[in-house]
C-alpha cells in the first residue's frame, strides 16, 4: 500500500474499532476525533514524511482501549506500526497509579518516533481537558492530570521543538480553563 492509501485505511479501521467509544469529557466527543487530532499533530510535526507514524497515531489506543492485538495490527499495517503502538501502550494488568508512574519513568527511554506520538497524545488530552473536562472531575483531579501530563512530557523533551511548543500552549490553556472554573 502506498502511504496515502494506508493512512486512510488506518483512519477507516480506527473509526470502526472505536465506534462505540466517546471521550471522557463533558462534550462526549466521538473517540475518532482524538485519534484524528493526534494523527494530524504527528503529520505536522514530521512534515508528513512518516506515514507509518501517522498510522500508528490513528491506532495508538486500539490495544489499550479496544482489545485489538499487536498481531492484528501487524497483519494489516506491518510490524513497524505495531511496534510503535505497543511502545505507547500501558500494561493494563497493572494498577492505574502504577501505569501512570511508569509512563513518567519510561518516557525518556522510548524511541524518538514513539516520543513524538506521546507528545501529540498528551497535547490532544490537555486540549480536551481545557475545552471539555470530565464533568465529574474535581478541581484537584484536573490539576493532578495536567501536572502528570507535564511530567510525562518532561521526559521526551528535545524530540520535536514545534510539537513541544504546541504541547506547552495546550498545557497553559488547560491551566487557564482550570483557574476560570
Ligand atoms: Zn490517546
Amino acid at each position: 500500500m502506498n502511504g496515502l492509501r494506508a493512512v486512510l485505511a488506518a483512519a477507516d479501521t480506527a473509526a470502526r474499532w472505536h465506534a462505540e467509544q466517546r471521550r471522557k469529557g463533558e462534550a462526549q466527543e466521538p473517540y475518532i476525533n482524538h485519534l484524528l487530532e493526534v494523527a494530524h499533530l504527528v503529520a505536522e510535526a514530521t512534515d508528513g514524511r512518516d506515514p507509518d507514524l501517522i498510522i500508528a497515531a490513528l491506532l495508538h489506543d486500539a490495544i489499550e482501549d479496544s482489545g485489538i492485538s499487536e498481531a492484528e495490527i501487524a497483519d494489516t499495517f506491518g510490524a513497524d506500526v505495531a511496534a510503535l503502538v505497543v511502545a505507547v501502550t500501558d500494561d493494563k494488568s497493572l494498577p492505574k497509579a502504577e501505569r501512570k508512574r511508569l509512563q513518567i519513568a519510561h518516557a525518556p527511554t522510548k524511541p524518538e518516533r514513539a516520543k513524538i506520538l506521546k507528545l501529540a497524545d498528551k497535547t490532544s488530552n490537555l486540549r480536551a481537558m481545557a475545552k471539555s473536562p470530565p464533568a465529574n472531575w474535581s478541581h484537584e483531579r484536573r490539576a493532578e492530570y495536567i501536572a502528570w501530563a507535564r511530567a510525562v512530557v518532561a521526559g521526551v523533551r528535545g524530540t520535536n521543538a514545534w510539537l513541544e511548543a504546541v504541547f506547552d500552549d495546550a498545557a497553559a490553556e488547560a491551566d487557564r480553563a482550570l483557574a476560570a472554573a
Side-chain angles (χ1 to χ4, degrees), residues 6 11 24-25 37 42 49 54 60 63-64 70 82 95-96 98 122 126-127 135:
K24 278 197 286 267
E37 182 176 32
V42 162
R49 279 189 300 257
I54 298 171
H60 79 272
I63 294 175
E64 215 169 285
E70 179 181 2
K96 188 156 189 199
E98 178 65 358
K122 294 291 178 268
L126 285 190
R127 282 178 174 173

Side-chain angles (χ1 to χ4, degrees), residues 119-160:
L119 268 164
D121 190 28
K122 294 291 178 268
T123 300
S124 170
N125 288 342
L126 285 190
R127 282 178 174 173
M129 198 54 60
K131 260 184 292 176
S132 171
N136 58 344
W137 278 31
S138 65
H139 200 276
E140 190 189 6
R141 189 169 176 191
R142 282 169 65 180
E144 273 172 18
Y145 185 88
I146 297 165
W148 170 74
R150 280 197 168 102
V152 174
V153 164
V156 304
R157 286 203 186 265
T159 304
N160 187 287

Side-chain angles (χ1 to χ4, degrees), residues 23 31 34-35 38 57 60-61 65 121-122 124-125:
R23 293 288 270 163
Y31 206 79
H34 167 63
L35 302 172
V38 173
H60 79 272
D61 283 324
D65 296 335
D121 190 28
K122 294 291 178 268
S124 170
N125 288 342

